[in-house]
Amino acid sequence: MTKLQALLFDVDGTLVDTEELHRQAFNQAFIEMNLGWEWNQDRYAELLRVSGGLDRLAGFVDQLAVAADEKRRLAVLVPAIHREKTRIYGELLGGGSARLRPGVARLVDEARAAGLKIGFATTSATANVQALIAATFPPASRGAITAVIGIDHVARRKPAPDVYELLLKTLRVPAEACVAFEDSANGLAATKAAGLYTIVTPSRWTRGQRFVGADLLLPSLGDLSDRLDAGAAAGIGGAPFLTLATIDALHAGAARPRADGS
Ligand code: XBP
Ligand code: MG
């Protein structure tokens, strides 16, 4: 059985519920570029089925009911729209409203104290992650983050495993020595393709998705001040929040061959 060596976290929706800020940044960019588009929350939840803002924008343009030459003009504009959106997103993060989801800071500190490596893997740009870390992690915890892999480092977005495979290589740990945390179906597909034990904590944006293959599904990691309800806690022996000790036991149990040899 391989000892637990690293925790791997998805970023958007897992570390922080960032998608409302992303949505506001997209809409602000649409206004500034006079595009006449607006993504309301329902529409954005649908669009989130495509991971990666660039592909999300391209897919949105592709389904617009406009003349072919106008569609081509808009398609050429997509990278510039996304650059403006990313700039605005950085400004919104600086506004200080983003908060780590329950249990993230606690687990990062527990993992660090236990000598585990910690990595982040996201379909967003690495620059966005660095801005998020600066805006949400206590300075004392930032040193625990061993590696960050964003979409700019790999060829394919989630559900492809690329960001997780590069993160494993960067951390120099095997998949079987890790536990991954995700919030979306695309993210879970990516972690499973990378061979990772995966705990899913859906966000309000991904709650309606299907998480086939999740090793554990919780509404959040929970915390002293944000305890899991009895139904959710039942999945982790009744504990009010997920601790590193429980993660370690779940990971070890998953690594142990089943009685029937499966
Ligand atoms: C979430 C995404 C990203 C964000 C928007 O990534 O799919 O596309 O929605 O950020 P993850 P960008 O859950 O893998 O962290 O516009 O920079 O893509
Ligand atoms: Mg996510």
Side-chain angles (χ1 to χ4, degrees):
M1 177 193 67
T2 310
K3 186 173 174 305
L4 183 62
Q5 297 174 39
L7 299 185
L8 313 183
F9 291 89
D10 160 55
V11 176
D12 293 298
T14 300
L15 292 179
V16 177
D17 183 357
T18 52
E19 293 299 354
E20 178 57 17
L21 286 183
H22 281 299
R23 185 184 75 88
Q24 290 173 16
F26 277 113
N27 284 330
Q28 187 56 39
F30 300 162
I31 292 168
E32 290 182 4
M33 298 178 78
N34 300 312
L35 292 162
W37 307 335
E38 187 192 1
W39 290 352
N40 66 28
Q41 291 192 343
D42 288 345
R43 185 81 174 93
Y44 191 60
E46 285 165 24
L47 289 163
L48 268 176
R49 290 188 182 280
V50 175
S51 67
L54 211 54
D55 285 2
R56 192 169 305 141
L57 267 174
F60 172 74
V61 167
D62 193 46
Q63 56 76 53
L64 286 175
V66 295
D69 58 345
E70 173 61 359
K71 190 166 285 189
R72 273 192 298 275
R73 182 187 77 82
L74 291 170
V76 167
L77 262 183
V78 162
I81 301 169
H82 191 249
R83 277 194 300 274
E84 181 56 9
K85 173 265 172 182
T86 300
R87 185 192 65 75
I88 296 167
Y89 176 70
E91 283 179 358
L92 293 177
L93 274 181
S97 66
R99 291 281 178 276
L100 291 175
R101 288 190 66 189
V104 170
R106 172 179 55 78
L107 262 187
V108 165
D109 287 345
E110 281 188 61
R112 178 193 209 172
L116 269 62
K117 293 176 181 175
I118 293 161
F120 296 165
T122 177
T123 303
S124 184
T126 305
N128 282 347
V129 188
Q130 299 304 353
L132 186 71
I133 291 169
T136 57
F137 272 87
S141 300
R142 292 174 202 165
I145 303 162
T146 322
V148 174
I149 304 295
I151 194 59
D152 33 311
H153 292 128
V154 295
R156 299 178 304 168
R157 303 175 186 289
K158 300 175 188 176
D162 298 28
V163 284
Y164 282 105
E165 287 173 343
L166 181 54
L167 183 56
L168 288 168
K169 196 170 158 200
T170 307
L171 294 176
R172 306 222 313 267
V173 291
E176 55 272 20
C178 301
V179 168
F181 299 82
E182 267 286 352
D183 74 304
S184 69
N186 277 338
L188 174 60
T191 56
K192 283 299 156 189
L196 289 161
Y197 182 98
T198 307
I199 297 173
V200 175
T201 53
S203 69
R204 56 179 158 150
W205 299 94
T206 59
R207 209 160 285 146
Q209 295 180 4
R210 285 169 42 78
F211 300 107
V212 177
D215 295 285
L216 177 65
L217 183 58
L218 291 172
S220 82
L221 299 173
D223 234 345
L224 264 175
S225 57
D226 202 315
R227 293 165 178 264
L228 296 171
D229 66 34
I236 49 170
F241 46 82
L242 186 63
T243 62
L244 185 60
T246 303
I247 291 167
D248 200 14
L250 289 166
H251 171 259
R256 209 173 296 125
R258 295 180 199 283
D260 62 8
S262 62

